[in-house]
Amino acid sequence: CPTSPAAPLAFTMLQLTRIYMGKSMFWGNASLNGQLSHLLEENNVTQVLPLEPPDAWARRQQVVIAYLKNFRQLVQLFDKERPTKFTQHLCCHLGCRLYPNGTAQSFYEVTLNRTAFLSFHVPNATWERRWPGELPVAAFAQEQLMKYPITTQDLQYFLNTTCVSILQAQSSRTGKVSGRSRTPLVLGLILGSLVLLGMALGIFLCTGGSC
C-alpha cells in the first residue's frame, strides 16, 4: 500500500528459510516505500521495480543464486554431522525507516520457529539474545555473529547508512520510486550481512546439543 505523507518511508527485507532433513527452501521479498521491489522464490530472484539496469541486475542475480547454492551446501554438510528429522523455520527481517523530521531507525530481527531469537542493536553494532530463558543455541549463535566485522560493523554501516540513503533519495522524489534511481540493489548488498545465516547455521543443528 502506498505510504501517506505523514508516514515514515520504509525499506524492508524479509528472508524465510525452511529446513527439513538437510533440504532448504527459500522465500523472501524487499519493498521500497510501500512497493514490492524484489521477490525471492526458491532459486529465482526477480527485480520487480527497475532499480538497476538489465546488465547490472543480471550480475547481481548471479550473486544471489550463488549465495543460495552455498547456503544449501552448508545445510547439507551440517545435516550429515548432526541430522534432524523435524522442520526448522528461520526468519530474518531487516530494514530502515525515515521519518518526516529527518530521523531514521534501523532494525534486524531473527526468529527461530516463530519465536524471537536474536536482534541486532544497530547503535552499538551488537547482537542480543531474545529467546525466552536460557538456550545454548542462542548463546552459540550470538558468539559466532559477534566475531566478524561483516556481521557487526559492516551490517551497522549497511543499516545506518546505505539503507537510509535509499530512503533519502526516494524522499527527494516526493516518495515516487524512480526507474533512474542510482541506489544499489538491496538484495545484492545484504548478501554480506546474510552471511550470518551461514555462520549461525548451528541454530538448526545445535538444538539441545553441545555447540
Side-chain angles (χ1 to χ4, degrees), residues 117-118 129-131 133-143 203:
F117 187 75
L118 295 170
R129 279 174 274 173
R130 296 300 183 192
W131 192 271
E134 295 294 328
L135 183 68
V137 184
F140 170 79
Q142 180 190 36
E143 179 184 358
I203 291 171

Side-chain angles (χ1 to χ4, degrees), residues 62-189:
Q62 291 304 310
V63 174
V64 176
I65 292 172
Y67 157 72
L68 297 176
K69 179 181 178 180
N70 292 336
F71 186 90
R72 278 199 168 93
Q73 291 174 342
L74 193 58
V75 170
Q76 292 171 355
L77 175 64
F78 273 94
D79 187 69
K80 289 180 180 179
E81 297 185 1
R82 188 176 294 182
T84 58
K85 295 184 179 180
F86 52 90
T87 302
Q88 300 275 26
H89 295 273
L90 183 68
C91 174
C92 294
H93 183 220
L94 63 153
C96 60
R97 303 180 184 94
L98 180 66
Y99 294 89
N101 63 3
T103 61
Q105 179 186 31
S106 302
F107 61 93
Y108 198 129
E109 301 163 345
V110 182
T111 62
L112 175 63
N113 297 331
R114 300 179 179 85
T115 301
F117 187 75
L118 295 170
S119 66
F120 185 66
H121 188 254
V122 180
N124 296 334
T126 57
W127 285 94
E128 300 175 349
R129 279 174 274 173
R130 296 300 183 192
W131 192 271
E134 295 294 328
L135 183 68
V137 184
F140 170 79
Q142 180 190 36
E143 179 184 358
Q144 293 300 308
L145 294 173
M146 288 301 299
K147 285 183 177 180
Y148 306 96
I150 199 169
T151 51
T152 52
Q153 291 95 338
D154 292 359
L155 180 55
Q156 180 190 49
Y157 181 86
F158 169 75
L159 291 171
N160 265 348
T161 305
T162 307
C163 186
V164 174
S165 69
I166 292 172
L167 296 179
Q168 291 171 337
Q170 296 306 316
S171 178
S172 66
R173 300 184 181 96
T174 64
K176 183 178 180 180
V177 177
S178 170
R180 296 175 296 172
S181 172
R182 295 177 295 170
T183 57
L185 171 64
V186 167
L187 278 180
L189 285 175

